[in-house]
Amino acid sequence: MKAKEQINPDVSEEFSHVPVHVAIIMDGNGRWAEQRSLPRLAGHQAGRENIRRVIEEAARIGVKHLTIYAFSTENWDRPVEEVNGLMGILGEAVETETSALHKQGVRLCHLGTLDRLPPELRKAVCRAVELTKNNDRITLNVAFNYGGRAEILGAVRRIVEEGVAPKDIDEVTFSSYLNTAGMPEPDLIIRTGGEMRLSNFLLWQSAYSEYYSTEAYWPDFDQEELHLALKAYGRRRRRFGRVEA
C-alpha cells in the first residue's frame, strides 16, 4: 500500500519531500557503549532514550508512520544477560513513556509476536496499544520479537487455515495478513551503525523502499542525522519499476 507524500507547511523549506512512512533499523548501541568502555546494556539504554527525540522530530516534520526495529527473532540468541536486560528496558519504556506519547497524539502498535515475552510485559504492551489506538498524529510501530520471514510464514499459514482459494490470493490479499495490514509501505528505510543489510526487516513491505545508511550509531542519530536522511530521500527519483517519459 502506497500513500501520498505530504509536506508540512512549517518544514516545506527544509525538505522537498516528506516520506509518509520511515522505518529505522536501530543499530550500533553495543558498539557505542564499547567505545565508551561501558557495558552493552548502557548502549541499549542510551538508544532507548534517543527514540523519544526521533519520534518528536519525525512528527514535527510530518512523518505519519515511524517503524523501529527494536528486537529481532534472531536476537534471542544473544547472551541471556543482554536479552533479559533488553526485556527490562522495553518494560521500563512502556511503563514510563506511554502516557507522554499518548498526550502527544502518538499511536503505538506492536509488530511481531508477544510469545516468549514475560507475561507482565505482554500485558503492558497490550495496554499501551489499547490506550493509544485512536491517536492520529503519528503511528509508532515497535518491531519487537519480529522477523520478516516469520511474518511471511505466519501470513501463509493463516491464508491456508482460512481456506482462501489460490485464485483469490493477490498482493493486496496477502498484505492484509501481515502485521502491517492497513499501513502504507515504508518509503524510506534508515540503518544506523554503518551496516548495509536488511537483517530480516520488513522483507515484503520494502520491495520499493529507498535505503539510507549512516555511520552514526543509534544513540547518536539526532535531529541533524534525521534531516540528512530525509534530504537524501528528497533527492531520489522513485520510479516503482516504471520508465519515466
Side-chain angles (χ1 to χ4, degrees):
M1 178 184 296
K2 301 181 182 67
K4 184 177 180 181
E5 294 170 3
Q6 299 179 351
I7 298 295
N8 182 333
D10 296 332
V11 297
S12 59
E13 295 183 1
E14 295 179 72
F15 309 101
S16 57
H17 298 285
V18 175
V20 174
H21 186 173
V22 175
I24 305 177
I25 301 172
M26 305 182 298
D27 198 9
N29 291 341
R31 285 172 286 166
W32 181 92
E34 289 167 2
Q35 283 189 351
R36 292 160 175 75
S37 300
L38 297 171
R40 287 178 59 85
L41 280 180
H44 292 305
Q45 184 64 43
R48 176 224 135 178
E49 293 169 359
N50 189 46
I51 293 173
R52 184 190 321 114
R53 294 188 287 269
V54 173
I55 295 171
E56 291 173 355
E57 184 63 6
R60 183 191 75 83
I61 291 169
V63 174
K64 299 303 293 182
H65 295 264
L66 178 66
T67 299
I68 55 174
Y69 201 12
F71 189 88
S72 75
T73 50
E74 291 76 31
N75 287 158
W76 292 104
D77 294 330
R78 292 187 176 188
V80 174
E81 296 80 6
E82 183 172 352
V83 170
N84 290 339
L86 285 166
M87 294 297 154
I89 288 172
L90 176 62
E92 180 185 353
V94 173
E95 188 70 28
T96 61
E97 301 287 349
T98 297
S99 179
L101 292 174
H102 179 47
K103 291 178 181 177
Q104 294 167 12
V106 179
R107 176 190 175 211
L108 293 170
C109 292
H110 173 256
L111 302 186
T113 62
L114 293 174
D115 63 332
R116 299 188 70 178
L117 271 62
E120 287 304 314
L121 180 53
R122 291 200 298 267
K123 293 177 183 177
V125 170
C126 291
R127 286 195 299 268
V129 170
E130 179 65 21
L131 175 66
T132 63
K133 66 180 182 180
N134 294 320
N135 295 338
D136 60 5
R137 184 182 179 215
I138 187 172
T139 295
L140 175 65
N141 300 307
V142 181
F144 199 94
N145 195 23
Y146 171 88
R149 289 182 174 179
E151 178 186 30
I152 291 171
L153 287 173
V156 171
R157 292 189 183 105
R158 287 190 292 276
I159 289 172
V160 172
E161 288 170 357
E162 294 183 13
V164 180
K167 65 180 179 59
D168 294 330
I169 301 173
D170 56 17
E171 290 189 10
V172 173
T173 300
F174 188 82
S175 295
S176 71
Y177 284 84
L178 296 173
N179 295 167
T180 52
M183 299 179 191
E185 295 173 351
D187 302 293
L188 173 65
I189 296 180
I190 300 169
R191 179 157 190 154
T192 62
E195 303 293 351
M196 300 289 286
R197 58 182 177 271
L198 273 177
S199 296
N200 201 18
F201 183 53
L202 298 177
L203 298 181
W204 173 272
Q205 299 88 336
S206 64
Y208 280 101
S209 302
E210 297 292 326
Y211 293 93
Y212 179 88
S213 178
T214 173
E215 294 292 330
Y217 296 140
W218 172 245
D220 294 328
F221 188 83
D222 55 15
Q223 293 180 349
E224 183 178 352
E225 285 286 345
L226 178 61
H227 292 179
L228 289 173
L230 296 183
K231 288 177 180 178
Y233 170 82
R235 294 191 292 269
R236 310 277 179 87
R237 300 178 68 181
R238 305 184 71 193
R239 299 180 179 85
F240 299 100
R242 299 183 295 268
V243 176
E244 291 185 347

